[in-house]
Amino acid sequence: MTMVPVTYGGSRRPPRGDYSVARQDYTCDQAWDSYTQPQHELYARLFARQLRLVQGRACDEFLRSLANLDMGARIPRFEHVSERLGHATGWQIVAVPGLIPEDAFFRLLSQRRFPVTVWLRTPEEFDYIVEPDLFHDLFGHVPLLFDPVFADYMQAYGEGGLKAQRRNALELLARLYWYTVEFGLIDTALGLRVYGAGILSSPGELERALTDPAPLRIGFDLRRVLRTRYEIDDFQQTYFVIDGFAQLFEQTAQDFAPIYQQLLPLPSFAPGRAEPADRVFGATASNC
Ligand code: PHE
Ligand code: FE
């Protein structure tokens, strides 16, 4: 059976990946030997730039785990990363051709398998990429899978996704992923730090997410997050701030079924607008 390519948000762009090589669960081989020397070098340049930018901006859990990615000399072999990850938290990374259907994505997460795109952006896309590539998936997402609490959260999210699908509540649950796993901020003793992969793998948003006075930074509240829409192709107008991964895990452990029932009929909130009950954080002073 041929796996169908996936596009997002009604996009007309032709899909980037080669879906003809995908298995039933949408995983494929990394085919590490097929990366060219210029691709390894491009990856190394992306890694070096981002490694500099995350200092003083990413949370400690992320910075500590970066060493597990071979420090970016070349594109890592997924098996090597998986071996270390397996020892740390029982997670594995698996290769996929690109974006995969929600169903397949949730199922992999529920099995503690994180899908990483095999293709790398072109040199022209050094600063900006419209869909997740190998660098975003690996650099942005994989380090936190070494943290035991975050690792459990990701698996729970996968199970929650399968359940939300059955309850027609995916639009609500997708906002939780967006505002935590992709664009989450965390309040630490040293000030706000970033843990969201969409920010951590982006050169422009890393500085801006913490220090720009324009975007709203709101204390994490589950119902508020589930009701807040998001922009996919611009810097975020709203970020949500957690106190720690334990808080995130605890607040999402409850059964979402009654929450979906309560929230589905209610209007959503626009990004970038404060509501009276919000706990608003100020921007941090530049720390680099
Ligand atoms: N507890 C959620 C539910 O019952 C599942 C979930 C856990 C969703 C963690 C997201 C994150 O649906
Ligand atoms: Fe991502």
Side-chain angles (χ1 to χ4, degrees), residues 68-83:
N68 292 301
L69 301 187
D70 296 339
M71 295 322 277
R74 45 183 36 227
I75 297 171
R77 287 183 190 267
F78 292 177
E79 308 96 85
H80 290 177
V81 179
S82 280
E83 208 180 294

Side-chain angles (χ1 to χ4, degrees), residues 153 156-157 160 163 173 176 252-257 260:
Y153 172 70
Y157 187 91
K163 177 167 148 188
L173 190 69
L176 180 62
T252 52
Q254 59 188 303
D255 180 9
F256 283 13
Y260 292 148

Side-chain angles (χ1 to χ4, degrees), residues 97-109:
L99 289 170
I100 63 174
E102 276 149 345
D103 214 68
F105 180 66
F106 295 142
R107 194 151 290 118
L108 289 174
L109 294 186

Side-chain angles (χ1 to χ4, degrees), residues 116-133:
V116 176
T117 300
V118 291
W119 59 264
L120 185 66
R121 68 192 67 187
T122 65
E124 292 70 41
E125 296 165 309
F126 194 71
D127 291 322
Y128 185 76
I129 175 106
V130 289
E131 60 186 269
D133 73 335

